Amino acid sequence: MFKILSKISLNSRTSRMTLSAPSIANSAKAGQFVVIRVDSFGERIPLTIADYNKNEGTIDIIYQKVGFTTSKLDMKSKGEYISDVVGPLGKPSQLMGYKNAIIVAGGTGCAIVFPQAKQLHENNCTVSTICGFQRKEFIILEKEICDISDFTRIVTDDGSNGNKGLVTDALLSRLEDKTQQYDLVITVGPLPMMKAVCAITKNFSIKTIVSMNPIMIDGTGMCGGCRVSVNGKTKFACVDGPDFDGHKINFDEIILKDKNYSYLYPNKREKNCKLLRGCSE
Amino acid sequence: MPENKRINLSKTDTPMPVADPKDRINTFDEVEIGYTDALAKQEALRCLDCKHKPCVSGCPVGIDIPSFIKCIVNDDIDKANDILSKSSALPAVCGRVCPQEKQCQAKCVRGKNGDPVAIGKLERYAADNCTDKKIQIPKNNGCKIAVIGSGPSGITCARELAIMGYKVTIYEALHSPGGVMTYGIPEFRLPRDILDKEIHNLSELGVSIQTNVVIGKTFSIDELMSKMEYKAVYISTGAGTPKFMEIPGETLPGVYSANEFLTRINLMHAYSSKYDTPIMQPKRTVVIGGGNVAMDAARCAVRLNSDVTVVYRRSEEDMPARKEEILHAKEEGVKFQFLSQPIRIHDKNGKISCVECNKMKYTTSTASSVKKLSKAGDETFFIETDCVIIAIGSCVNSIIKENSTGVDFDASGKIIANAETMQTSKPGVYAGGDAVTGSATVILAMEAGKKAAMNIHKDLMEKGEVFV
């Protein structure tokens, strides 16, 4: 059992939890994730370790209420327990030796990319961060990101924060400024966004890391549910990733699988879920 | 001799009562119901109690088979179970899932003229029907051992060491112990309460089972041996990584590894509305493979109301699955397509439509006893389906390999361990079961666990870490 030490609402659909998990905190590195099971009837879902504190023995998770299990997780309050947390899983991000990086994140992807951005900053790499959200009210981690970034641009789909636009446009204008030489792009967010970002950076021949977060069960290479094609070879996001070379990954396959989630898992639970109906989109 | 008169001379063995296929396909309850006292005795009386006990040599853990069977004849089921427990940590499990027809029963003298004695069914009977005994808690010798993985090999090793007085901790990556017996073997073949009882017995012996710990990730083997002060480590992490065919269409939604499909159902109870686990409800399912895992997946899919076809590249007689499992699958309506090799999974708008296969034939090869296969003509054929489950085997998980120093692995990723001592290249670290052999059986994994326990004890005594 893993105790919830704090729970903060980041916006109407996204929350941040601090969990007591000393062994995981002690081994965690940027880019790794945990698999959680809310209670003994729960399914297992992967969540990125958004932050960790070895001294306090804690890890942070940030989740958006998108489905049944994240909504069930959100029913838990400070002082309560989560039945299972296992990790840290996946390979840590390789972030040494870069000088000038751009982070491109969309929505909850900001939570996934934050530890990597922070690690780059600590490695004395210049960090430019471009984040996109649907609306102003969904912006998360703004202060944290600004603190570790040398340049930050936050755009919204509807312009409600005063910066209407797409992350891809912001990225493009950054890359076209020839006074800067970038050696790394990390992108995390909705699949079509990551695909578009990788198409752009390929033209500029800049190494691009994507962090994949597909459906998985165990997170240890046992189910194969998280398989992705990288350079035509089958890889498991849980043990070979979650970071992959964005120019080698087959996004179309993953997008197709993602689209068919409801066909694969036609359980009535999502439709009947009262928790979800309360969740605004 | 009055005793001889009592021998049951029937050439056929006593059939096990089974649930009606019409009923059982609607539940995950156990298919084989088990011998009654009378049936068990009837079958036990077929044993000739041979002096040279050929059956024992066929048992990987060397159970004294004629003796336990004699106890059943004498109505002393508790003693029968004691004899079983002396050699096996999991008699109720082995009675159900061991390939007895290739082991003990293959050596049975009765099998030379008729059916061999149904040793497995009798083992199960004794284990299921004995009275629960209070387990004597052994005196702790103060020496800590870590076991990685709570499958049959890890359980056996932990039990043997605990009985000798060691303080054993098993680390399990999943949220529930049991390894393949929990996530792989379905409940209609191995009911969960049978396994829970075995695991409970382990706890009674003082073994601690820590779930949600991935060695190599949460802790390293070096941490276990230094900071955490374990005097020896036994790696029994199994062969849990599914193989794929690398054919076009394999990444389509609706293509499962047997591991994922079975784990959703067995470990995470996707078939029960009480649990949150989602699972696809396909009208038609194609299972690729011919082993026990393929049979388990096919029979699980039947229970999700799917119309199931097993596609196997060889013929029925070459199927590695147990005859009994194939029979049960057939009774439950599973169809078989033999000598067929899938080459592509087709889709319509991203949803699986059919599996395209080559027809295969055997090419007689005089030089080799292995029957070689080749394509029988250029024509292919199609099997319409909504879901594909790939059950073509599994290989050893790479987490330990990628996160440990000093332990040697072979080219295919299996741990290299001495076949007799289970010692790896790293001092104090032993390994056994599927992680060393590649996927095999429950009983062989148990044999390795037992050998490792004996050698860990021997080595620690020699080093002066423990005293008897």
Side-chain angles (χ1 to χ4, degrees):
Chain A
M1 298 292 269
F2 295 78
K3 194 171 186 179
I4 301 167
L5 300 176
S6 82
K7 182 183 163 193
I8 313 159
S9 170
L10 300 183
N11 62 39
S12 59
R13 56 184 190 183
T14 312
S15 302
R16 176 180 195 132
M17 269 184 189
T18 302
L19 306 174
S20 170
S23 335
I24 300 174
N26 191 49
S27 310
K29 292 192 177 73
Q32 291 189 295
F33 64 94
V34 288
V35 165
I36 69 146
R37 196 172 69 127
V38 179
D39 58 33
S40 52
F41 295 105
E43 64 175 324
R44 296 168 63 100
I45 60 160
L47 289 171
T48 301
I49 301 172
D51 209 351
Y52 52 89
N53 185 323
K54 290 185 202 299
N55 296 328
E56 306 279 326
T58 62
I59 60 165
D60 284 18
I61 50 173
I62 294 178
Y63 57 89
Q64 185 181 330
K65 286 179 277 175
V66 285
F68 184 87
T69 295
T70 40
S71 300
K72 194 173 185 180
L73 174 63
D74 201 52
M75 298 270 288
K76 295 271 180 189
S77 320
K78 181 182 167 180
E80 290 189 279
Y81 291 84
I82 291 173
S83 161
D84 304 278
V85 182
V86 59
L89 301 170
K91 290 197 163 85
S93 300
Q94 296 301 315
L95 301 168
M96 292 301 283
Y98 296 104
K99 293 193 181 71
N100 198 356
I102 306 184
I103 308 288
V104 188
T108 325
C110 295
I112 297 173
V113 89
F114 175 70
Q116 290 161 302
K118 187 175 156 194
Q119 183 70 56
L120 284 169
H121 174 71
E122 283 165 8
N123 295 353
N124 294 319
C125 174
T126 306
V127 176
S128 307
T129 308
I130 300 164
C131 296
F133 298 91
Q134 278 179 316
R135 296 197 292 273
K136 189 184 173 194
E137 64 193 274
F138 293 140
I139 295 173
I140 55 168
L141 301 176
E142 187 171 5
K143 186 187 173 303
E144 287 89 340
I145 287 166
C146 285
D147 284 351
I148 52 122
S149 304
D150 302 271
F151 166 90
T152 310
R153 177 144 185 96
I154 295 179
V155 294
T156 46
D157 294 350
D158 67 347
S160 48
N161 74 331
N163 278 329
K164 188 178 160 95
L166 296 171
V167 290
T168 40
D169 294 334
L171 171 68
L172 208 54
S173 67
R174 207 75 198 142
L175 293 176
E176 280 163 353
D177 171 6
K178 296 290 175 201
T179 60
Q180 296 273 336
Q181 279 286 319
Y182 297 100
D183 54 3
L184 177 69
V185 171
I186 301 181
T187 180
V188 187
L191 291 164
M193 184 208 91
M194 289 199 277
K195 186 184 169 187
V197 167
C198 291
I200 293 169
T201 57
K202 198 167 186 183
N203 282 336
F204 287 84
S205 305
I206 303 171
K207 178 172 183 180
T208 304
I209 297 174
V210 294
S211 187
M212 304 309 292
N213 198 15
I215 289 165
M216 56 178 78
I217 296 179
D218 56 300
T220 62
M222 191 266 273
C223 79
C226 65
R227 62 194 187 279
V228 292
S229 298
V230 181
N231 238 358
K233 286 226 164 70
T234 300
K235 297 276 176 193
F236 291 179
C238 63
V239 287
D240 300 317
D243 290 355
F244 291 104
D245 183 335
H247 297 151
K248 291 184 178 156
I249 204 152
N250 185 332
F251 278 108
D252 294 337
E253 250 174 37
I254 308 163
I255 289 169
L256 188 66
K257 207 162 177 174
D258 203 53
K259 262 192 201 153
N260 281 292
Y261 179 81
S262 58
Y263 151 71
L264 287 183
Y265 304 111
N267 296 28
K268 351 29 59 194
R269 53 168 215 183
E270 247 88 12
K271 235 186 289 168
N272 297 336
C273 179
K274 285 181 184 151
L275 296 173
L276 279 171
R277 268 186 244 147
C279 168
S280 66
E281 179 51 60
Chain B
M1 297 282 280
E3 270 207 9
N4 281 350
K5 270 190 201 152
R6 294 184 60 199
I7 285 174
N8 173 357
L9 291 170
S10 165
K11 282 188 182 176
T12 52
D13 61 11
T14 311
M16 171 83 94
V18 291
D20 189 311
K22 284 201 296 293
D23 302 328
R24 73 189 194 221
I25 58 169
N26 298 313
T27 81
F28 278 78
D29 295 345
E30 192 167 25
V31 166
E32 299 194 317
I33 294 158
Y35 278 155
T36 58
D37 296 343
L39 290 173
K41 211 160 167 175
Q42 179 188 321
E43 183 60 20
L45 282 166
R46 293 186 66 235
C47 175
L48 301 174
D49 193 14
C50 316
K51 282 271 173 315
H52 64 305
K53 303 181 180 187
C55 50
V56 179
S57 69
C59 174
V61 295
I63 292 173
D64 186 354
I65 293 163
S67 301
F68 99 78
I69 293 180
K70 208 192 281 174
C71 293
I72 295 177
V73 173
N74 296 331
D75 296 315
D76 195 349
I77 299 166
D78 287 348
K79 196 173 169 202
N81 188 60
D82 286 347
I83 294 167
L84 289 168
S85 301
K86 233 179 254 169
S87 307
S88 168
L90 304 163
V93 174
C94 292
R96 287 171 167 83
V97 304
C98 250
Q100 293 99 3
E101 65 276 13
K102 291 178 190 157
Q103 298 176 156
C104 52
Q105 291 176 195
K107 308 260 174 139
C108 177
V109 172
R110 294 296 305 261
K112 288 182 181 159
N113 184 12
D115 292 335
V117 174
I119 299 168
K121 295 184 170 79
L122 291 171
E123 179 184 21
R124 168 185 164 165
Y125 167 80
D128 283 0
N129 293 286
C130 64
T131 42
D132 287 332
K133 237 187 354 189
K134 257 211 114 45
I135 292 172
Q136 284 212 326
I137 300 166
K139 197 169 164 281
N140 191 337
N141 68 10
C143 188
K144 284 170 68 185
I145 313 282
V147 171
I148 311 173
S150 64
S153 200
I155 288 178
T156 304
C157 184
R159 177 179 180 269
E160 297 288 328
L161 288 166
I163 290 168
M164 290 188 259
Y166 290 90
K167 179 77 197 103
V168 186
T169 304
I170 304 182
Y171 292 101
E172 167 57 46
L174 291 170
H175 58 255
S176 221
V180 72
M181 300 182 291
T182 298
Y183 74 75
I185 302 175
E187 289 191 56
F188 53 78
R189 215 146 72 75
L190 179 61
R192 203 54 65 230
D193 51 345
I194 299 286
L195 192 57
D196 288 348
K197 195 171 129 188
E198 306 281 12
I199 287 162
H200 173 77
N201 288 344
L202 209 56
S203 307
E204 294 279 289
L205 281 170
V207 174
S208 155
I209 302 179
Q210 305 281 323
T211 53
N212 295 320
V213 179
V214 183
I215 300 300
K217 293 286 181 188
T218 320
F219 307 115
S220 67
I221 290 178
D222 285 336
E223 275 178 294
L224 291 177
M225 298 189 79
S226 56
K227 218 164 67 187
M228 296 162 86
E229 297 179 331
Y230 290 103
K231 296 291 177 202
V233 173
Y234 180 59
I235 310 172
S236 48
T237 44
T241 298
K243 285 183 190 159
F244 288 93
M245 305 188 68
E246 309 281 343
I247 57 171
E250 209 171 22
T251 51
L252 283 167
V255 182
Y256 286 100
S257 72
N259 265 7
E260 179 180 0
F261 187 74
L262 290 171
T263 301
R264 284 182 184 276
I265 290 171
N266 301 326
L267 174 74
M268 293 161 60
H269 308 90
Y271 61 86
S272 159
S273 60
K274 270 203 302 193
Y275 288 79
D276 302 342
T277 315
I279 190 119
M280 191 183 177
Q281 312 264 328
K283 275 205 188 74
R284 293 159 304 185
T285 303
V286 163
V287 178
I288 301 170
N292 287 321
V293 175
M295 295 305 101
D296 286 344
R299 296 173 68 196
C300 281
V302 164
R303 283 160 175 76
L304 297 178
N305 293 319
S306 195
D307 183 42
V308 183
T309 306
V310 169
V311 176
Y312 182 50
R313 66 198 170 105
R314 296 176 178 274
S315 62
E316 179 165 2
E317 44 286 2
D318 289 334
M319 278 176 82
R322 294 181 65 195
K323 295 279 168 292
E324 211 167 271
E325 304 307 327
I326 301 168
L327 177 71
H328 282 154
K330 283 184 174 169
E331 286 172 355
E332 291 168 9
V334 173
K335 286 170 278 188
F336 288 84
Q337 186 73 51
F338 295 110
L339 288 164
S340 304
Q341 171 90 310
I343 53 165
R344 187 184 190 101
I345 302 165
H346 293 270
D347 71 294
K348 265 196 196 114
N349 306 320
K351 291 176 187 175
I352 295 172
S353 58
C354 63
V355 178
E356 183 178 0
C357 303
N358 275 333
K359 264 270 128 303
M360 306 301 283
K361 64 171 188 208
Y362 283 114
T363 50
T364 38
S365 139
T366 44
S368 154
S369 60
V370 183
K371 289 193 271 181
K372 281 194 181 141
L373 278 173
S374 74
K375 242 176 27 171
D378 289 331
E379 254 177 62
T380 60
F381 68 99
F382 300 85
I383 306 169
E384 287 186 13
T385 190
D386 316 296
C387 172
V388 175
I389 300 169
I390 297 171
I392 58 163
S394 53
C395 48
V396 175
N397 194 301
S398 61
I399 287 184
I400 295 274
K401 184 178 171 187
E402 287 172 9
N403 298 283
S404 313
T405 48
V407 180
D408 288 345
F409 293 79
D410 73 8
S412 66
K414 289 184 273 216
I415 302 172
I416 299 171
N418 181 298
E420 287 313 309
T421 65
M422 301 293 138
Q423 167 79 51
T424 68
S425 53
K426 193 179 175 83
V429 179
Y430 302 75
D434 286 2
V436 169
T437 58
S439 47
T441 58
V442 166
I443 191 75
L444 288 171
M446 289 173 59
E447 179 193 19
K450 198 171 174 177
K451 276 190 192 167
M454 276 153 43
N455 280 288
I456 289 170
H457 179 56
K458 183 172 148 275
D459 292 352
L460 289 175
M461 278 202 303
E462 279 170 12
K463 275 197 243 169
E465 297 278 3
V466 283
F467 307 96
V468 182

